[in-house]
Amino acid sequence: MKTTTYPLSRETSMHELGDRVIAPDGYWRLGWRRRGQAYSVLLEQRAVMVGGGLMLALLAAGLAYLSLGSTLLAPSEAVLALFGRGEMMATFMVQELRLPRLTAACLTGAAFALAGILMQTLARNRLATPGIIGIDNGATAFAVASIVGMGVSIAPPAMALAGATTAAVLTFGLAAGSGTHGYRFIVAGIGVGAVFGAITQLLLARVAIDAANAAYPWTVGTLNARASGAMQLLTVGLTLGVIAALALARSLALLRFKDATASGLGIVVKVRRFQVLMLSVVLTALAVAVAGPVGMVGLIGPEIARALSSSRGVPVISSALAGALVMVLADLAGRTLLAPIEIPVGIVTAVLGGPWLLWILMRANRSSP
Amino acid sequence: MSFAARMDARAAFLVLLMALVAMAGTSLLIGAGEVSPSRAFAVLWGSADSEAHFVVWELRGPRTLIGIAVGVALGISGALLQAVARNPLAEPGLLGVSAGAAFAVALALVLGASAATLRIGVAQLGALVGCICVLGVVRMRGVGDDPVRLVLAGAAFSGLLGSLSALLLLYDQRAADEIRFWVVGGLAGRRLSDLVAVLPSLLVAGGVIALIARPLAALALGERVATGLGHHPAVIRWLVVLCVAVLVGAATAMAGPIAFVGLVVPFVARAIAGPDIRRTLWFCLPIGPLMILAADIVSRVVVAPSELPLGVLTALCGAPVLIAVVRAKRLPML
């Protein structure tokens, strides 16, 4: 290691003195050596704690999810059944019925919320989530087209991706005159979403009433009719998406500034923006292919994460965890509250998210420009 | 206004009226089913074809009349709401007023009410509550803020109400079929009695609008000017809100929630008639029914023998207008 002389300032020397450095306040430092080279990572304590807390809450919610339902299981029974040691019936119920659905809830919730925070950062507006600016509706319209068999034999996930991309291109293209931020952008998105919503209705009106009835809960968002292929794609896509989002995290933090500032701080704004947009669109499409448009999770998850985290970075991981938590709890409520009737999870989140959205709108008026 | 311009406006109004008559005729002639336009045409000239007679006068006739009434009500209420919110994007369907009416009807159905007159009252009450909520958000908005924000609030509000209606639909299978109609909207299967039941409230609202059109035009010049001219802005606003609630409630009771009509119709009317609210209201009278009837005819023809929900077509026409208004460099202030 080369030796350097450092200025006398205490702070710089602490940051850069190789192995023996102390982390700045509020951070933990993880350091390791490899081939004589020292590496270190700074972990923000609050982010770690928020992430851990959300993880614990998610585990607790998952346990409740496995135990509650038409047949009640004690938590201990549920855990035993989960590892294949319980009674036959309980094991079947947990492993075959509830666990796959729980997994789907976690994955879709995380994907929606991750897509949400990416889009919010991109548009510099906390209300610009894929659900609100019409991308969900685009994905849904195309996926429904493939489901009701309008002479298209491509799988729903691929169609959903095509739809989400179309909607994103339309929204961004049409709003170009007024920039990617501000309320005009969002309202242009609402317009695009309305068109795709109408197209979905149009498709449903053309098929037999049974098929339309069967597709109805799916169009409001439910975990009842998950396609298995879509689940596998979502698993892969979400894993890659989280990695990509982490890799983009620093750029994301900079994208919140004005374009000039961000490029002055060393990122190529256009490229980064395109990457973030595509990542958000892909995550939305995969999640929609599994669960339909449960757009409000993309709003609520990041809100929770931001409220818990400090404002220094963009809380990517916490958002995904919070989204998964919201989705699990919402689906649990939908399954149990009015049992034996099952409320689609999209309706639960919309009923929760609507007032929340109004509250944000009314509060935002006083403080922010 | 110059004489020539006035003549132009009159000519445009006459052309629109004639187009409306033609559209109503088309609505009687064209539609799903076995009755071809030529057979329907023969019925209009007094042919004794009993099946065609039934289709034209019992099915398509009431439907056309109701379409006209719905178009008038929605177009006028859109223009009024835009004037009182001073926002070109204020639209009953988009802002959740229609969704409020539909939700109220769905709730009443679940609670066991089924009488038609009660349904109208409930729908109007729901529209009133929706109207007050939306305008409450407008008030919160403060002065000189982004007018586009209102649409977002409306989208949140109508999304919430739509979800609650969907919840009711799941909750009560018995009423589900009837509720589904209120959630989606359309003119299929409406009877003349539905129109007769709402007619009194429509007439009352029309009378009130005729009385407040002048003060409303004064209000467009600003609150102080209106007060100076001897009007009471607060009273005018409340009357407008009540009228909008009555009109939207009646339209929703007849046809379910239909978005974007209240946006597009005043938009077109202003393009022809200029900014004066009185002239805009006059032009909304033929343009609203024109839009509804055209959408209804297309909805019958496109996927025959089944039918499209009317709201689908109005959304397909209206959303591009919304985007166009939003994209305009400077939003037209009202």
Side-chain angles (χ1 to χ4, degrees), chain A:
Chain A
M1 247 168 44
K2 61 177 179 176
T3 51
T4 330
T5 50
Y6 290 99
L8 283 174
S9 150
R10 190 167 153 271
E11 283 179 15
T12 26
S13 64
M14 287 216 302
H15 280 89
E16 303 183 18
L17 267 182
D19 306 347
R20 288 178 292 111
V21 289
I22 310 153
D25 279 349
Y27 284 88
W28 282 312
R29 177 179 167 278
L30 285 182
W32 67 93
R33 281 176 163 279
R34 192 157 160 266
R35 291 190 208 136
Q37 188 78 33
Y39 296 91
S40 71
V41 177
L42 285 180
L43 289 177
E44 198 190 340
Q45 286 173 2
R46 185 153 176 177
V48 172
M49 278 173 352
V50 166
L54 282 171
M55 190 64 105
L56 282 180
L58 185 58
L59 282 177
L63 189 59
Y65 194 94
L66 293 180
S67 323
L68 299 174
S70 53
T71 314
L72 290 173
L73 298 173
S76 54
E77 279 181 296
V79 173
L80 281 179
L82 182 61
F83 294 106
R85 309 246 170 135
E87 291 170 50
M88 269 278 285
M89 268 311 288
T91 309
F92 172 78
M93 191 179 305
V94 167
Q95 290 196 343
E96 300 294 319
L97 300 179
R98 290 184 188 167
L99 185 60
R101 189 165 170 155
L102 174 63
T103 320
C106 286
L107 293 180
T108 49
F112 275 126
L114 192 54
I117 195 156
L118 290 176
M119 192 67 85
Q120 288 175 339
T121 314
L122 188 70
R124 299 189 194 109
N125 190 319
R126 65 211 286 225
L127 296 172
T129 57
I132 294 175
I133 62 171
I135 297 180
D136 278 22
N137 282 359
T140 309
F142 277 56
V144 165
S146 87
I147 286 171
V148 301
M150 301 301 295
V152 204
S153 55
I154 311 170
M159 288 295 283
L161 186 55
T165 314
T166 313
V169 167
L170 274 178
T171 302
F172 278 83
L174 288 172
S178 52
T180 51
H181 47 276
Y183 289 96
R184 291 187 180 196
F185 167 67
I186 298 178
V187 170
I190 291 177
V192 171
V195 170
F196 279 109
I199 291 175
T200 307
Q201 294 285 337
L202 199 144
L203 290 168
L204 289 179
R206 292 193 59 155
V207 297
I209 188 79
D210 291 346
N213 274 343
Y216 173 74
W218 196 84
T219 57
V220 297
T222 171
L223 288 165
N224 228 348
R226 326 172 288 273
S228 60
M231 269 298 288
Q232 286 150 10
L233 271 176
L234 175 62
T235 315
V236 176
L238 183 62
T239 315
L240 294 178
V242 168
I243 295 170
L246 282 178
L248 286 170
R250 203 185 81 91
S251 314
L252 275 179
L254 297 184
L255 276 180
R256 292 179 303 174
F257 297 116
K258 281 183 185 141
D259 284 5
T261 317
S263 47
L265 289 168
I267 61 169
V268 186
V269 174
K270 272 190 180 165
V271 175
R272 282 286 181 268
R273 191 175 273 162
F274 182 72
Q275 287 167 339
V276 172
L277 174 64
M278 279 329 289
L279 187 55
S280 177
V281 166
V282 169
L283 284 170
T284 307
L286 291 176
V288 167
V290 172
V294 194
M296 280 297 178
V297 177
L299 179 77
I300 303 173
E303 283 292 329
I304 294 175
R306 260 197 302 271
L308 294 176
S309 310
S310 63
S311 57
R312 259 173 260 187
V314 180
V316 172
I317 297 295
S318 316
S319 290
L321 285 172
L325 181 64
V326 168
M327 191 80 169
V328 168
L329 289 178
D331 194 39
L332 181 61
R335 280 198 308 141
T336 51
L337 277 184
L338 289 183
I341 303 164
E342 192 176 295
I343 313 169
V345 63
I347 291 182
V348 179
T349 54
V351 170
L352 292 175
W356 191 320
L357 185 53
L358 283 174
W359 187 68
I360 293 175
L361 272 172
M362 304 214 312
R363 260 187 75 230
N365 301 334
R366 289 181 209 134
S367 51
S368 69

Side-chain angles (χ1 to χ4, degrees), chain B residues 51-134:
Chain B
E51 188 198 352
H53 192 273
F54 174 77
V55 168
V56 170
W57 291 124
E58 300 293 317
L59 297 180
R60 293 179 192 167
R63 189 172 177 158
T64 306
L65 286 178
I66 288 176
I68 292 173
V70 169
V72 168
L74 287 179
I76 294 278
S77 57
L80 288 176
L81 201 57
Q82 289 172 6
V84 77
R86 308 199 68 144
N87 186 333
L89 295 171
E91 198 268 319
L94 216 53
L95 296 191
V97 181
S98 304
F103 174 67
V105 172
L107 193 63
L109 283 175
V110 167
L111 294 178
S114 58
T117 43
L118 181 68
R119 203 171 60 207
I120 296 158
V122 167
Q124 286 166 343
L125 199 64
L128 182 62
V129 174
C131 229
I132 290 172
C133 284
V134 165

